[in-house]
């Protein structure tokens, strides 16, 4: 489904600054994606937070980094990791860069759940947004500029260790 941006612009008050139209568009996209994904059928049943964790576990990551990425308390991440491990989606393994530390890694089943999630989200995003591949790539680059600093710090810390 492709839409002309001019059609959408006609619905908005003409005096809105670009920051406001960007925020309105981002909120609308998020609401639509959440609604679609709640109704989506997945082979692997996961909560929204578990699905997010699985997406960010390639490459394997330390629990503290996962807590920063997810904006969650370490105890919440530990509980999610325990649940995912019990279901055979993740394993705890020694960090190869620091044998004292542990990290989470996806199992084959976890990788399959991650691939399924990425495919479903991509399909739903293309359908909802009406963007062509080049627009999606540009949007993705621009949207990641808005990552919270704590997430960026966690990823940089992980890269530097």
């Amino acid at each position: 489904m492709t839409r002309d941006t001019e059609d959408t612009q006609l619905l908005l008050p003409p005096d809105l600054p670009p920051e406001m139209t960007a925020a309105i568009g981002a909120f609308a996209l998020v609401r639509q994606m959440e609604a679609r994904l709640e109704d989506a059928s997945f082979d692997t049943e996961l909560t929204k937070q578990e699905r997010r964790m699985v997406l960010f576990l390639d490459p394997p990551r330390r629990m503290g980094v996962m807590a920063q990425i997810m904006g969650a308390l370490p105890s919440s991440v530990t509980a999610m990791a325990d649940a995912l491990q019990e279901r055979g989606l993740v394993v705890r393994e020694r960090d190869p860069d620091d044998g004292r530390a542990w990290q989470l890694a996806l199992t084959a089943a976890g990788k399959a759940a991650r691939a399924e999630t990425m495919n479903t989200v991509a399909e739903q995003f293309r359908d909802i947004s009406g963007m062509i591949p080049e627009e999606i790539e540009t949007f993705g680059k621009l949207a990641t500029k808005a990552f919270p600093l704590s997430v960026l710090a966690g990823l940089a810390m992980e890269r530097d260790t």
Side-chain angles (χ1 to χ4, degrees), residues 85-125:
Q85 187 169 9
E86 285 176 25
R87 293 178 8 232
L89 299 172
V90 301
V91 293
R92 285 177 169 87
E93 61 185 24
R94 290 285 182 190
D95 184 333
D97 297 326
D98 180 354
R100 300 167 296 167
W102 291 89
Q103 62 184 15
L104 292 173
L106 294 173
T107 62
K111 289 177 183 178
R114 182 176 187 273
E116 176 189 29
T117 298
M118 288 192 306
N119 291 335
T120 301
V121 169
E123 179 183 312
Q124 296 299 328
F125 186 91

Side-chain angles (χ1 to χ4, degrees), residues 44-92:
T44 306
E45 290 297 320
L46 298 171
T47 67
K48 185 170 27 173
Q49 287 294 82
E50 288 172 338
R51 207 164 286 290
R52 280 186 67 211
M53 180 181 274
V54 166
L55 284 173
F56 278 100
L57 281 177
D58 188 13
R61 298 184 191 276
R62 291 185 185 185
M63 302 269 258
V65 171
M66 284 305 304
Q68 286 180 314
I69 289 170
M70 297 180 71
L73 294 172
S75 57
S76 307
V77 171
T78 299
M80 264 188 283
D82 290 344
L84 292 171
Q85 187 169 9
E86 285 176 25
R87 293 178 8 232
L89 299 172
V90 301
V91 293
R92 285 177 169 87

